[in-house]
């Protein structure tokens, strides 16, 4: 009798545990690699591309007098600003088969489209503002599809960041200092491929 209930107990414990594991990995897993890790990898690539574009295309061309970057780059035939380079390439990747999305957002956006669009984005912006060294993650739904939303602080790494944002007529904030958190990069990783 004791033995029987022990076996039953262990069996139900195993069932419970496997059920629990199934749910947790199903909710946070993109093809075997934890979705948080996927977001970290994408963040590294996005940041590297942005830094390279800023330093070796925009700043180099400007120093040579060959081309400048400006906000109205389409009509003025100039180079896109680094923020626009990021947003435009994101537009292409969200339509790819991988359905991966990313975006620059802020509590003080120059472009109102870059403000928080949901409570989850607002929570992420506030959390990374207070704790910039740790990304904020949560699972969010987009229609019937679940995504891991990962939000990484975006800091004023150079004088150029604060110079431009503080002087911009559409900026709601004009007192950014070097190293301040100016906003965030939000990355959306689909949890089912
Ligand atoms: C020459 C001006 C300029 C510089 C330099 C610049 N930005 Fe921006 N930034 C903009 C503009 C304009 C936008 C809005 C782009 C759009 O329409 O989406 C923007 C957008 C952003 C956003 C999204 C929220 C918003 O304000 O719309 C963040 C975050 C951001 N920039 C951070 C930075 C950081 C960090 C740096 C430095 C590494 C930087 N910016 C350098 C002009 C600039």
């Amino acid at each position: 009798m004791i033995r029987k209930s022990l076996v039953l107990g262990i069996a139900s414990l195993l069932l419970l545990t496997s059920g629990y594991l199934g749910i947790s990995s199903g909710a946070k897993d993109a093809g075997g690699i934890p979705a948080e890790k996927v977001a970290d990898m994408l963040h590294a690539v996005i940041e590297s591309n942005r830094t390279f574009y800023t330093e070796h295309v925009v700043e180099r061309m400007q120093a040579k007098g060959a081309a400048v970057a400006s906000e109205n780059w389409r009509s003025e035939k100039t180079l896109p600003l680094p923020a626009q380079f990021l947003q435009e390439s994101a537009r292409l990747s969200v339509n790819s088969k991988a359905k991966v999305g990313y975006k620059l957002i802020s509590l003080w956006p120059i472009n109102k489209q870059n403000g928080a669009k949901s409570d989850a984005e607002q929570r992420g912006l506030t959390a990374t503002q207070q704790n910039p060294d740790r990304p904020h993650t949560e699972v969010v739904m987009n229609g019937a599809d679940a995504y891991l939303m990962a939000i990484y602080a975006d800091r004023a790494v150079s004088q150029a960041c604060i110079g431009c944002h503080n002087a911009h007529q559409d900026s709601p904030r004009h007192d950014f200092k070097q190293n301040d958190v100016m906003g965030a990069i939000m990355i959306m990783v689909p949890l089912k491929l």
Side-chain angles (χ1 to χ4, degrees), residues 50 71 81 83-84 87 104-106 108-111 114 154-157 160-161 164-165 168 182-184:
R50 181 188 186 195
E71 202 170 330
L81 298 173
Q84 294 173 309
Q87 311 282 49
L104 276 173
I105 55 174
S106 174
W108 310 278
I110 288 180
N111 181 343
N114 303 332
D154 195 35
R155 285 181 188 270
V157 287
C161 312
C164 188
H165 277 249
H168 202 285
M182 296 177 70

Side-chain angles (χ1 to χ4, degrees), residues 110-186:
I110 288 180
N111 181 343
K112 300 290 162 280
Q113 292 297 317
N114 303 332
K117 290 251 167 66
S118 65
D119 290 348
E121 291 182 25
Q122 183 75 28
R123 273 196 297 278
L125 279 170
T126 313
T128 45
Q129 187 73 31
Q130 287 162 358
N131 198 350
D133 296 327
R134 233 193 25 225
H136 172 88
T137 58
E138 53 181 286
V139 175
V140 296
M141 299 301 292
N142 184 3
D145 301 323
Y147 285 80
L148 179 82
M149 181 193 79
I151 295 192
Y152 299 81
D154 195 35
R155 285 181 188 270
V157 287
S158 75
Q159 188 60 36
C161 312
I162 54 182
C164 188
H165 277 249
N166 285 346
H168 202 285
Q169 58 177 12
D170 296 331
S171 174
R173 192 174 151 182
H174 304 278
D175 62 350
F176 284 117
K177 295 181 299 303
Q178 198 131 346
N179 215 33
D180 273 355
V181 177
M182 296 177 70
I185 297 185
M186 175 180 76

Side-chain angles (χ1 to χ4, degrees), residues 52-72:
F52 187 86
Y53 176 71
T54 307
E55 289 177 5
H56 298 286
V57 179
V58 174
E59 289 174 2
R60 190 151 155 254
M61 290 298 118
Q62 270 176 199
K64 280 174 120 182
V68 291
S70 75
E71 202 170 330
N72 301 317

